[in-house]
Amino acid sequence: MVFTLSSEQFAAFEAMEQDNWYRAAARDLFETYEAYYTAFGASAETLMPMVQTIAAWAQRQHIRSQVDVTRLCHVATSLGHKFWQDPRFRGYVTASMSVDVPPGRRATALMGETKAWLRGLWAGDSLLAFSERLVELVGAGRRPEVNALQHLLPGHWQMFSTPDNERLLGWLSQTVPDNLRDEGPRQLVYTACALAHGTQWLSDPQYQRLAEAVRSEAAPARLAAQIRGIYAEALA
């Protein structure tokens, strides 16, 4: 007897296989950065929707290889879960996804640009040093002033012109949720983390614990203590 699958059964089988791959990819991503993700409140399960979103975006860019989608997931670890919507990265995302770049090389091109971005952002600096400065300024009740942000992320001001940084800060000031719009330490955290972790970090499944801390803790000293604990655990 020969068994055949109907088109509906075949589609259901394909969907199941795809979900299995998303789940496996999320697990592998989590295990690669386990200490970091655990400290920031992420898990393999919470990362799965991110993997699905990245795979859907990749398909729109004619990127279908699982290896290349995995590369893009690693890009998202550095640039944020919807990095293609971050205004800072649109130029090289567009260049990497250009019709002049073969689909099989687009994810690799984007990884190269991401490495260059990280080298520039953290030149002579580190995420740990950034977190220590952030804890200090938050504990002191500092506001999201330009000089405070320059102190927190000097590499950002070296990579972009002053007008570009001013435009970005102006745009970010319009995206601050109402419950964080205090012109004080919580808005400083929101803005600084947008520059370091991606402009949509507050909804990024990679930073759930940090997002919860800034949403729930208004007292500068207690917020600073939570931030210190999260980064210390992530970067140990």
Side-chain angles (χ1 to χ4, degrees):
M1 178 180 288
V2 177
F3 291 94
T4 59
L5 291 172
S6 68
S7 57
E8 292 80 6
Q9 288 172 318
F10 188 78
F13 176 77
E14 280 193 319
M16 183 179 67
E17 287 298 301
Q18 194 171 53
D19 283 347
N20 287 340
W21 185 82
Y22 292 149
R23 193 169 289 106
R27 184 179 62 250
D28 289 346
L29 188 66
F30 174 77
E31 289 175 354
T32 301
Y33 307 104
E34 186 168 356
Y36 184 87
Y37 276 142
T38 299
F40 281 109
S43 67
E45 280 126 8
T46 61
L47 292 175
M48 185 173 164
M50 183 182 82
V51 173
Q52 291 172 309
T53 299
I54 291 169
W57 178 78
Q59 189 168 32
R60 294 195 295 273
Q61 311 307 315
H62 308 288
I63 298 171
R64 296 182 175 86
S65 160
Q66 292 178 351
V67 171
D68 285 337
V69 173
T70 299
R71 289 189 176 105
L72 294 176
C73 289
H74 287 275
V75 168
T77 302
S78 299
L79 305 186
H81 69 141
K82 295 182 180 176
F83 57 84
W84 56 90
Q85 295 178 2
D86 192 317
R88 296 171 298 174
F89 309 137
R90 284 177 187 156
Y92 71 72
V93 168
T94 299
S96 299
M97 300 299 121
S98 165
V99 294
D100 297 328
V101 180
R105 295 179 57 189
R106 291 175 186 175
T108 301
L110 197 50
M111 281 196 78
E113 294 288 359
T114 300
K115 290 176 182 177
W117 157 261
L118 293 174
R119 284 194 299 270
L121 183 64
W122 301 116
D125 198 8
S126 68
L127 185 57
L128 178 60
F130 159 79
S131 71
E132 291 170 346
R133 295 191 295 267
L134 183 60
V135 166
E136 179 184 2
L137 295 190
V138 169
R142 290 292 298 274
R143 296 157 54 88
E145 299 162 326
V146 173
N147 61 351
L149 292 163
Q150 286 177 321
H151 174 66
L152 286 169
L153 281 161
H156 207 282
W157 268 259
Q158 293 169 8
M159 294 173 70
F160 294 93
S161 67
T162 297
D164 283 344
N165 273 304
E166 288 175 350
R167 278 192 291 272
L168 179 62
L169 294 182
W171 177 75
L172 283 173
S173 71
Q174 297 173 20
T175 69
V176 182
D178 289 341
N179 63 335
L180 301 183
R181 195 178 292 279
D182 62 355
E183 292 296 330
R186 290 204 294 173
Q187 192 165 337
L188 175 65
V189 175
Y190 171 82
T191 307
C193 288
L195 300 179
H197 299 307
T199 55
Q200 297 192 51
W201 77 273
L202 205 61
S203 62
D204 193 329
Q206 299 174 112
Y207 299 106
Q208 290 186 352
R209 188 176 167 203
L210 186 61
E212 179 58 28
V214 75
R215 285 193 185 103
S216 63
E217 190 54 79
R222 289 199 294 268
L223 178 57
Q226 288 200 44
I227 291 170
R228 179 186 293 111
I230 291 169
Y231 279 99
E233 184 181 333
L235 303 172

